[in-house]
Amino acid sequence: MGDGRKVKLSERTADRLYELIMDERRFAPGSKLPNENELSEALHVSRTTLREAISFLVAQGVLEIRRGKGTFVAEDLPASAVDLAALSGLRSRVRARDLFEMRLIFEPATVALACQRATDEELLQIQHKAAKMERIAQEGGDWPLADQEFHMAIIKASHNEYMRRLYPIINSAVNEILQVSANREHMQSVAIADNKMILDFLMQRDEAGARHAMSIHIRHLLNTLKG
């Protein structure tokens, strides 16, 4: 139990440091962080916890350690959009939940736009992607990747450039969570059934139905994560 608490505290500390650097700009790119004693006191954590938090941010390309010199903020900070993918590397359920909550805001609206804007050819493509995902799942292949292709085809059919650019970033994080999920098998059966439901409404260009189907799908995934 104690170890679980320590991991969570180091993640929270990484979050706080991340905010100070990326959001509040307390430390400029290329600048040196205060020494361990000072920083651990300022963040009210032990030096061990601070070191773990720093190692998270080093992995994300936000900080770099220079031997004999200390810890520095990276000269070229990752673009904020990319951080979604990087943050999933912490692999905690809290992060997974945050990510799926974001999908809950984003994807129902997108599938409703696809109902309005998709060409007949795009609807056919979406149908093919759903069938491909189901076939790959039954063959024991990499179904999360095929599932992403299905969702990406829906995003493209929304004809919204910002959504199209944001989606691969979100999905790389989703994929990482699915790869390490204990409930991956259950998620597979949920995804197959839900994709059929989403597709049915989409093919009929039923905006309200498609929006609800997508919401239900993501709620199913959220509930599976809790399991």
Side-chain angles (χ1 to χ4, degrees):
M1 283 296 285
D3 191 54
R5 271 201 303 276
K6 193 172 83 174
V7 170
K8 283 178 185 163
L9 182 58
S10 61
E11 287 182 15
R12 284 204 302 275
T13 307
D15 271 355
R16 183 66 195 121
L17 252 182
Y18 176 91
E19 282 170 3
L20 289 171
I21 295 162
M22 298 293 286
D23 301 337
E24 297 174 26
R25 303 284 172 182
R26 295 276 183 90
F27 306 109
S31 68
K32 186 181 176 186
L33 287 187
N35 68 42
E36 258 185 20
N37 284 341
E38 205 180 312
L39 200 51
S40 59
E41 257 179 57
L43 294 167
H44 308 294
V45 293
S46 70
R47 283 190 296 172
T48 308
T49 300
L50 177 64
R51 279 186 208 126
E52 286 173 14
I54 286 170
S55 70
F56 282 138
L57 296 181
V58 167
Q60 290 175 33
V62 174
L63 293 176
E64 53 193 46
I65 294 167
R66 296 181 197 164
R67 278 204 186 137
K69 292 186 177 176
T71 305
F72 290 77
V73 178
E75 290 281 1
D76 297 312
L77 286 171
S80 291
V82 178
D83 302 330
L84 285 171
L87 286 171
S88 76
L90 300 187
R91 291 181 174 173
S92 72
R93 286 186 178 204
V94 173
R95 293 232 169 274
R97 192 194 63 218
D98 288 353
L99 191 64
F100 282 99
E101 281 174 0
M102 184 173 171
R103 288 183 70 189
L104 196 54
I105 294 162
F106 176 79
E107 289 184 59
T110 308
V111 77
L113 287 176
C115 286
Q116 290 172 31
R117 299 173 179 173
T119 63
D120 291 342
E121 175 60 31
E122 282 171 333
L123 286 182
L124 208 58
Q125 273 299 312
I126 293 166
Q127 203 168 24
H128 287 323
K129 298 287 186 192
K132 180 184 170 187
M133 180 266 183
E134 192 169 352
R135 189 176 69 250
I136 287 171
Q138 283 163 354
E139 291 167 359
D142 188 359
W143 67 265
L145 191 63
D147 187 51
Q148 281 182 36
E149 287 179 12
F150 167 71
H151 284 273
M152 187 64 200
I154 293 172
I155 301 290
K156 282 180 179 169
S158 75
H159 294 271
N160 181 300
E161 185 63 17
Y162 282 95
M163 288 179 178
R164 191 181 68 74
R165 288 183 188 206
L166 182 61
Y167 200 66
I169 297 161
I170 293 173
N171 251 343
S172 62
V174 170
N175 192 42
E176 191 165 333
I177 287 162
L178 289 180
Q179 297 296 354
V180 296
S181 172
N183 295 316
R184 188 180 148 107
E185 208 170 303
H186 178 53
M187 277 190 170
Q188 175 184 305
S189 55
V190 164
I192 290 170
D194 288 355
N195 285 359
K196 282 179 181 168
M197 174 176 61
I198 293 162
L199 189 64
D200 281 348
F201 287 112
L202 195 52
M203 297 307 284
Q204 295 170 57
R205 296 184 185 272
D206 179 341
E207 281 179 53
R211 189 187 281 270
H212 286 307
M214 186 65 82
S215 293
I216 288 165
H217 170 53
I218 295 161
R219 286 185 189 281
H220 276 157
L221 294 179
L222 266 165
N223 288 335
T224 306
L225 282 170
K226 289 172 195 168

